[in-house]
Amino acid sequence: PYILTLSNAPEMAGNYITQKEKALNLGIYATDLCYASTYMMNQATMQFLEASRTLSDELGITTSFNMNYAERIEKNLNNRDSLISIVAGSFYDTWDYLVENSQDILARLVVSGSWIEGIYITANIAGTSRDNTEFLKILANQKSSLNTIVSLLGQVKDKEEAADIFKGLNDIKGVYEQVGETMTAGQLEELTVRIEALRESII
């Protein structure tokens, strides 16, 4: 079942001050939005949409795609596949905008926030599911995407905005070095502890 409390509270969006905080939490809300829309939780989807829009506006992200983003979400609330496609499109559009406007560090932080939230939600679901076999495989399969993100952050790890996130994800990479095609119960427990601590430092 959908677990509302796993996501970051939408009302927190107005509490983030620095560009770093806003970028990381924009990524987190993008994943929360996907999580809610996957379960067709329309009210939660709209709340995460508003939270995302708040942070996008404050970061000055204005693209032709995002201008009618909310309208497209509202029109497709009952179409799960379309919703996820729209969110993914906005995510890539945001990346392109930030990179093209010399905000590539922020782009890396948005991606990092999204990955962290996805792992956090999945690990918690895996920890409470009666049969978590598929979840453990899904988590194991995130090794390559983690390596990509760590590599991206490694290019800017000396920048203040990226240093602690790089360290946190690099520590989690250490957990993944022992992971094969699936995760063990012990690896899941260690991953959950580390991802929760890193996420808590962001939200």
Side-chain angles (χ1 to χ4, degrees), residues 1-6 35 39 41 121 125 128-130 135:
Y2 178 76
I3 307 171
L4 179 62
T5 54
L6 283 181
Y35 179 43
Y39 282 81
M41 304 296 291
I121 289 173
I125 293 174
T128 58
S129 295
R130 185 174 301 171
F135 289 112

Side-chain angles (χ1 to χ4, degrees), residues 156-174:
V156 293
K157 64 182 179 181
D158 295 329
K159 302 291 184 181
E160 183 180 352
E161 306 98 300
D164 59 338
I165 300 302
F166 171 77
K167 182 182 183 306
L169 287 175
N170 205 41
D171 288 345
I172 290 170
K173 185 180 175 183

Side-chain angles (χ1 to χ4, degrees), residues 165-203:
I165 300 302
F166 171 77
K167 182 182 183 306
L169 287 175
N170 205 41
D171 288 345
I172 290 170
K173 185 180 175 183
V175 177
Y176 267 94
E177 286 173 356
Q178 308 302 319
V179 175
E181 292 184 3
T182 189
M183 275 195 166
T184 66
Q187 289 165 346
L188 173 63
E189 184 177 353
E190 186 175 2
L191 174 64
T192 302
V193 169
R194 294 198 187 195
I195 204 73
E196 284 183 353
L198 182 56
R199 179 184 184 266
E200 187 64 28
S201 72
I202 294 170
I203 66 168

Side-chain angles (χ1 to χ4, degrees), residues 4 16 23 25 36 75 93 98 104 112 133 156 164 167 181:
L4 179 62
Y16 303 119
N25 283 283
K75 285 182 177 179
D93 203 46
L98 289 170
D104 55 309
S112 299
T133 305
V156 293
D164 59 338
K167 182 182 183 306
E181 292 184 3

